[in-house]
Structures are given as structure tokens and as C-alpha cells.
Amino acid sequence: MPKKVYIFDTTLRDGEQSPGVSLNVHEKLEIARQLERLGVDAIEAGFPVASKGDFEAVKAIAQNVRRPVIVALARAVKQDIDRAWEAIKYAARPRIHTFIATSDIHMKYKLKMEPEEVLKRAVEMVSYAKSLCEDVEFSPEDGTRTRPEFLFKVLEAVIDAGATVINIPDTVGYAMPEEFGALIRSIRENVRNIDKVMLSVHCHNDLGLAVANSLAAIRNGAQQVECTINGLGERAGNAALEEIVMAIKTRSDYFNYYTDIVTEQIYRTSTMVSHLTGVHVQPNKAIVGANAFAHESGIHQHGVLSNRQTYEIMTPESIGLKQSQMVLGKHSGRHAFEERLKELGFTNLMPEEINAAFEKFKDLADKKKYVMDKDIEALVNEKVLKVPETYELEYFHISSGNTSIATSTVKIRRDNEIFEEAACGDGPVDATFKAIDRAIGIEVTLKDYYLRAVTSGKDALGEVTVKIGKNGDVYIGRGLSTDIIEASAKAYINAINKMVMEQNSKNGHNGEEKGD
């Protein structure tokens, strides 16, 4: 009989450690709810000791997401474990995940501890975590570069101390698939009490082998894989959840395993994470990239038209990507719009959220002849997942040309107050951002600016993502419009609204390491 592989999603912890990614509590909760719909077995919700914001996000997820195991990360330090438990004690199925480095290079240069000290600390902190929470996961950080005999010794000791899950991280993405598979096999053969725990793996993608290593580990006895949506994560990222799951499903003839993932929710989850993190999926990304099911070669097109299996080893529908392109226009009614939302995977929207999205749809339909599926997805993501609007764009006017200095005038509303300012800049977008800075009276640094067309055509929606910085913190804003300048202004104000909302509650990271 096929065996189950447990999917442990760490998008909200390791994924958020991607450079430039910063999610607020509301956004993390929305992603967690979508991960629950996706069917993941465990959600690593964050690293509670890192900041007040991280703590509040983990606590909110523990209180509101009930089916998956909710995991909080903690170093092998009592303060970390206490903080983790405070955040996840509300969960229906809580788990504390604690770690300490075990490789010679990490023990010598980072921890400055002797191996026996590390062993003692690991046992003491697993025992302490166990006194608070029945489910305890332990990771020997940099496990693939740890001396095997020491690794086996540590694992046996922490299992005796009460660990229920043992996770082997390839922290720096160093291992080769055959090598990593052999390590997992040797752990099963040499750790006497390994049958008492679930064996897990956590692979990084520094050499582009995270998914291959994870699959090799499964073939050699790993029961759980830690992964992220779209492969997000530090440096080159983590193993991509969608690639692992679809490899197991597509090659069921090779892998005698299964997962409980609702694969039809993969595309919806991918687009949500991309939208909220501001990290766009590369077109040639496996499974969820824009080109994953596109065929330009004449030979390929002919084959697909004759039989899709000639060049497609999985169907677009299997990941929730609808191939029908039913278009809606200004005469389309609310019922047709609501049915289209359901077909696109938006099945859990509240009536007020549907109403808000429908109003935006009608506004867009007045500006362009046809509204496509991707337009609707972008509208819903922008409207439903928006933060409270402290500042709102009331009006803007641009004067620009190739022989004149770009000038922008903006009118911004905050409650019943109106602020109007003008500024010049290096082009209309720069001028608009400077005018907004003057109107609001807050100076920020523009870290990044990204523009993409949601659909094709000269009347396409433009989606702008900006990243702004203030006092070392980064805030991501998004804006959507058929007018590029308006989309840019909306994105900039959206980022400022996030900053205003969080500046009094977020303490920032404490500068300590964040795990495997």
C-alpha cells in the first residue's frame, strides 16, 4: 500500500526570511487559511521570539487555523521556547520546533561550544519543551555537514528526552541527492530509537537540488518534508511544495507514496503568496510558472492539439489552473461574477468581500472591453487582502514630456483631512512619489519598484509592486489600475499604510539567527 508523506509548510517562517519579504499579521493569517485549504499537515507559523509582530502572527494563526499542526520555531534556549509556547498554546494541535547546530564548523565558529555542551543543551531544551508541549520537533542545524557518529548520538539522546519529530536540515544546500538519501538511510539504520519518531527533512536550494534531495530522502524513509510555496526562503530558497507534491502524484508509478494535498488549490495558493510577498514567480518555474503549460513550438502545438499527453505530463486543471477563458464585461451580472470567482478557487469569500470585488470589477469593465480571469484574480487579491487605508488617494494630475520636467500634483485623504501637494521628479512616477511624501509628511526610501501587465493588450491592468524602507524595516505595497501612474501611486500609499499600521507594534528582529 502507498505510504503517506506529511507536508510541513514553512512559507510563513523560512519563506518570510527571503530578502525583502515582510508580511503583517493579517497577511500571514490569510496565507495560513489558504494553506489549510491546500491540505498541508503542518504550518510553521513563525519564530515568536524574533519580534512582537512574529509573536502576534503565530498566536493569531494558532487561534484561527484549527486542522493542521501549528508549529513555532525556537532556538535551544529557554526564553525562545517559553515565547514559542506562549504563541502556540492556543492551537488545537501545537508543536514546538527547537534547534541547535551540530556541525563542527557551526559549533566552533558560531556557537563557540564543545560537542558535549551542544549535546547537553539539546537534551535539556527538548526535555523542557516536552514539559510544555506534547509534540516537540528537533533539528540538528547543518545536519548534512555534521559528523555521522555525533549526529546519531545527538538524535538518540533527544528522542530519549521526548522529541516526537526529528528533522534533518540541509541548511546550506550542500548535499547531493544520492548522498542525502544515504544519510537518511544511515540514520534509520544506526539510531536505535528512530522508530519512535517521525523522520523529517528540510532542504535548501543553494545548488538547485532542494526538491531532488527531498525526494531522495522520501525514497530512503523520510516521512515528512519541509517546504515552501514557490520555493521561497533564505538565499536561493527552499524545496518547492508544488514540485514535491506534483512529482509524487505524477510519478505514482515510481513513488509508492501519496500526500493529502488538494492539488487543485496549488495555483491559487501560489498566486496569493506571490501577491502578498511581492516575489513574482519566474515564467519558466515548474508547475506554477506562466510558461508551465504554454506551447510555442509548432511541433509541440500540433502534438498537444492531437493529444495533450504528448507534451503535458499533468493537466493544468490538476493544479487549479482553469484553461477556459470566459470573459466578463460591463453587462455581466453579480451572479455570473460570483460563479467565476468560485471557478477560480475563491470559494471562501464573505458576502461583503464579494460585493467589494464586484464593485471594482464593474469599474474595470467600464475601462476595458473584456475582463479576463487574471484581471479578476488581481482585483480580488488587491481588494480583499488590503490593509486598512489610513491614507487614500483622492486625485492626481501629471504634467510630463520629453522636453519638460515631470510634475505631479496629488490630493490625499486621511479621515476628514485633505492634503494636497505638488513635486517635480525624474519622470511622472518619481514626481508622484515625491508629492505623496510631501502630502503625508513621511520620508521613506524606495527599495524596489516592479511593474507587470496582468493580461495582454493596450488596455491591460498594470500591477505595481513597491518596497519601501524606514528605520531598517521593509514594507511591500501593491497597486492595480489600467493607468500605470495610478497603479504606482496606489502601491506606494499601500506600503505607507502598512508602515503606519505596524510602526507602533513592530519591534523588528533581534538580530539572532533564524534557524535552518
Side-chain angles (χ1 to χ4, degrees):
M1 293 291 291
K3 297 179 181 178
K4 178 177 173 177
V5 174
Y6 290 80
I7 301 298
F8 176 114
D9 183 276
T10 184
T11 302
L12 295 174
R13 199 278 297 173
D14 207 332
E16 204 207 6
Q17 290 174 208
S18 300
V21 172
S22 179
L23 299 167
N24 61 39
V25 174
H26 172 67
E27 290 168 333
K28 286 187 176 183
L29 184 55
E30 287 300 316
I31 290 175
R33 284 172 170 154
Q34 179 59 29
L35 290 172
E36 183 176 33
R37 290 190 283 273
L38 180 65
V40 303
D41 298 287
I43 297 173
E44 190 164 48
F47 190 22
V49 80
S51 71
K52 183 179 179 182
D54 233 25
F55 175 85
E56 293 298 336
V58 176
K59 180 180 175 181
I61 292 167
Q63 290 172 324
N64 291 280
V65 181
R66 310 306 289 172
R67 188 195 59 76
V69 174
I70 305 301
V71 186
L73 185 69
R75 294 167 300 177
V77 176
K78 189 173 183 294
Q79 176 190 357
D80 283 33
I81 294 170
D82 285 338
R83 193 66 168 160
W85 177 241
E86 279 298 309
I88 60 161
K89 66 183 180 182
Y90 305 94
R93 302 169 65 196
R95 179 188 296 171
I96 294 174
H97 180 189
T98 188
F99 70 94
I100 191 169
T102 54
S103 67
D104 287 342
I105 190 169
H106 275 237
M107 289 190 292
K108 180 177 180 180
Y109 292 104
K110 185 180 74 171
L111 299 179
K112 295 179 170 51
M113 294 171 66
E114 293 297 321
E116 289 307 312
E117 293 178 281
V118 169
L119 175 62
K120 181 181 178 183
R121 173 78 67 83
V123 169
E124 288 176 349
M125 291 302 102
V126 167
S127 297
Y128 181 67
K130 186 74 171 185
S131 72
L132 303 174
C133 183
E134 183 61 31
D135 193 0
V136 177
E137 180 168 339
F138 174 77
S139 289
E141 188 183 8
D142 204 22
T144 52
R145 294 194 296 175
T146 299
R147 286 178 288 110
E149 61 275 12
F150 182 62
L151 179 63
F152 302 154
K153 185 177 181 180
V154 171
L155 297 184
E156 283 189 3
V158 296
I159 294 171
D160 284 342
T164 51
V165 181
I166 293 296
N167 176 60
I168 307 302
D170 185 22
T171 302
V172 292
Y174 181 74
M176 296 291 109
E178 288 187 5
E179 183 181 32
F180 193 57
L183 174 63
I184 299 305
R185 187 167 62 253
S186 69
I187 288 172
R188 299 204 69 87
E189 293 171 350
N190 292 283
V191 177
R192 59 171 173 78
N193 48 5
I194 195 67
D195 59 329
K196 295 181 180 180
V197 298
M198 178 184 292
L199 183 55
S200 174
V201 292
H202 178 117
C203 298
H204 277 264
N205 205 42
D206 297 72
L207 294 174
L209 296 170
V211 169
N213 282 336
S214 298
L215 294 173
I218 291 170
R219 292 269 291 173
N220 284 276
Q223 299 143 293
Q224 174 181 280
V225 288
E226 303 196 357
C227 43
T228 61
I229 301 300
N230 300 335
L232 282 178
E234 287 191 289
R235 303 182 314 277
N238 288 268
L241 179 150
E242 61 277 3
E243 295 178 25
I244 292 171
V245 168
M246 292 309 292
I248 292 172
K249 180 175 181 177
T250 304
R251 292 303 310 274
S252 58
D253 60 320
Y254 182 79
F255 294 101
N256 194 31
Y257 300 95
Y258 71 95
T259 73
D260 284 340
I261 295 297
V262 182
T263 62
E264 292 79 9
Q265 288 287 335
I266 285 176
Y267 180 72
R268 169 79 190 104
T269 312
S270 171
T271 55
M272 174 187 278
V273 170
S274 175
H275 176 83
L276 291 178
T277 60
V279 179
H280 297 281
V281 177
Q282 67 194 61
N284 62 328
K285 167 76 171 65
I287 315 299
V288 292
N291 296 344
F293 295 96
H295 305 277
E296 184 172 341
S297 162
I299 295 173
H300 286 210
Q301 289 173 347
H302 176 74
V304 169
L305 290 172
S306 300
N307 185 323
R308 298 200 72 89
Q309 290 184 338
T310 53
Y311 286 101
E312 286 186 356
I313 60 173
M314 67 196 98
T315 66
E317 291 81 6
S318 69
I319 66 163
L321 181 60
K322 302 296 182 182
Q323 287 301 287
S324 60
Q325 282 295 320
M326 186 182 93
V327 294
L328 299 176
K330 64 181 180 180
H331 299 297
S332 300
R334 188 182 186 281
H335 179 72
F337 178 75
E338 191 169 349
E339 286 301 308
R340 195 67 188 130
L341 287 179
K342 292 177 182 177
E343 291 177 16
L344 292 171
F346 296 99
T347 56
N348 296 84
L349 297 179
M350 302 296 290
E352 59 271 21
E353 294 174 327
I354 295 174
N355 290 336
F358 184 64
E359 288 180 15
K360 297 295 289 184
F361 158 72
K362 281 296 202 181
D363 290 341
L364 178 61
D366 283 332
K367 296 178 182 179
K368 59 183 297 188
K369 189 174 182 180
Y370 298 118
V371 180
M372 310 298 288
D373 290 350
K374 288 188 178 294
D375 292 322
I376 295 172
E377 289 174 357
L379 282 177
V380 176
N381 282 331
E382 191 236 6
K383 192 66 181 175
V384 173
L385 301 175
K386 210 165 192 178
V387 296
E389 294 183 322
T390 304
Y391 296 99
E392 295 183 66
L393 178 67
E394 288 278 305
Y395 161 90
F396 75 97
H397 175 77
I398 294 294
S399 175
S400 183
N402 65 336
T403 60
S404 61
I405 297 174
T407 305
S408 177
T409 303
V410 299
K411 185 185 288 185
I412 308 293
R413 176 182 295 275
R414 185 184 67 189
D415 297 327
N416 295 320
E417 293 183 276
I418 295 292
F419 306 92
E420 190 170 11
E421 284 289 349
C424 298
D426 297 326
V429 171
D430 182 51
T432 300
F433 288 175
K434 288 178 177 176
I436 291 170
D437 287 344
R438 286 186 179 181
I440 294 176
I442 300 175
E443 289 189 10
V444 298
T445 302
L446 181 64
K447 297 283 189 181
D448 197 9
Y449 175 94
Y450 183 86
L451 167 68
R452 74 179 183 99
V454 174
T455 52
S456 59
K458 62 183 179 182
D459 61 351
L461 272 177
E463 183 181 62
V464 171
T465 302
V466 301
K467 293 180 183 178
I468 63 171
K470 181 76 171 178
N471 298 328
D473 293 322
V474 175
Y475 304 89
I476 301 169
R478 303 159 203 86
L480 200 67
S481 176
T482 53
D483 184 294
I484 293 171
I485 309 303
E486 183 180 21
S488 302
K490 285 181 174 180
Y492 197 67
I493 292 173
N494 180 236
I496 290 174
N497 281 331
K498 285 187 179 180
M499 180 184 71
V500 171
M501 183 180 70
E502 295 184 25
Q503 62 184 354
N504 294 324
S505 61
K506 186 174 181 182
N507 295 324
H509 296 308
N510 65 1
E512 299 288 355
E513 76 232 46
K514 294 187 179 180
D516 39 53

